[in-house]
């Protein structure tokens, strides 16, 4: 697992983008839990860390599809594919992430 940040670096119900891994991931502290998903929306090149968080979902800042922070699934178009989720462990106030081995659903034209 990779140490990504300290728990105190994560504001409640706001995303934080980390590009220390490829593709970048977004971490969220919501309802007392830490979630990690791919940061890039699957529709176009938008950072989900900049989206609106509510009830463990994040709304894409560009076209308002929402993604589950728990499962990565998307609700309504224009995004059609979900994002990957990554396993998170918090140990002694430090946040560790195990990156998914699945292929990311990057939008057309976006490569890392
Ligand atoms: S860029 Fe995210 S829904 Fe369009």
């Amino acid at each position: 697992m990779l140490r990504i940040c300290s728990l105190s670096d994560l504001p409640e119900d706001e995303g934080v983008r980390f590009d220390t891994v490829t593709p970048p991931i977004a971490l969220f502290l919501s309802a007392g839990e830490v979630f990690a998903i791919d940061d890039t929306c699957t529709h176009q090149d938008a950072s989900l860390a900049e989206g609106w968080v509510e009830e463990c979902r994040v709304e894409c800042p560009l076209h308002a599809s929402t993604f589950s922070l728990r499962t990565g699934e998307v609700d309504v178009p224009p995004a059609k594919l979900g994002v990957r989720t990554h396993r998170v462990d918090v140990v002694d106030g430090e946040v560790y992430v195990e990156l998914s081995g699945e292929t990311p659903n990057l939008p057309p034209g976006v490569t890392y």
Side-chain angles (χ1 to χ4, degrees):
M1 296 191 93
L2 301 168
R3 181 197 170 276
I4 301 296
C5 65
S6 297
L7 186 58
S8 59
D9 295 330
L10 301 178
E12 180 81 22
D13 286 335
E14 287 182 31
V16 180
R17 174 185 161 106
F18 292 92
D19 56 11
T20 49
V21 296
T22 304
I25 60 174
L27 265 58
F28 300 86
L29 173 62
S30 184
E33 283 186 69
V34 179
F35 301 94
I37 64 173
D38 281 345
D39 182 57
T40 307
C41 182
T42 61
H43 176 233
Q44 290 179 3
D45 191 6
S47 171
L48 295 176
E50 296 175 10
W52 176 262
V53 177
E54 190 173 67
E55 296 181 358
C56 287
R57 299 191 71 88
V58 59
E59 181 181 291
C60 176
L62 280 192
H63 307 114
S65 290
T66 78
F67 297 84
S68 167
L69 299 179
R70 291 188 187 283
T71 67
E73 60 88 22
V74 66
D75 60 349
V76 292
K80 295 178 180 157
L81 299 173
V83 290
R84 299 184 307 172
T85 59
H86 308 284
R87 189 176 141 217
V88 175
D89 270 348
V90 180
V91 179
D92 295 333
E94 301 297 307
V95 179
Y96 296 85
V97 170
E98 181 177 303
L99 296 174
S100 166
E102 296 175 18
T103 301
N105 292 321
L106 296 173
V110 173
T111 57
Y112 286 100

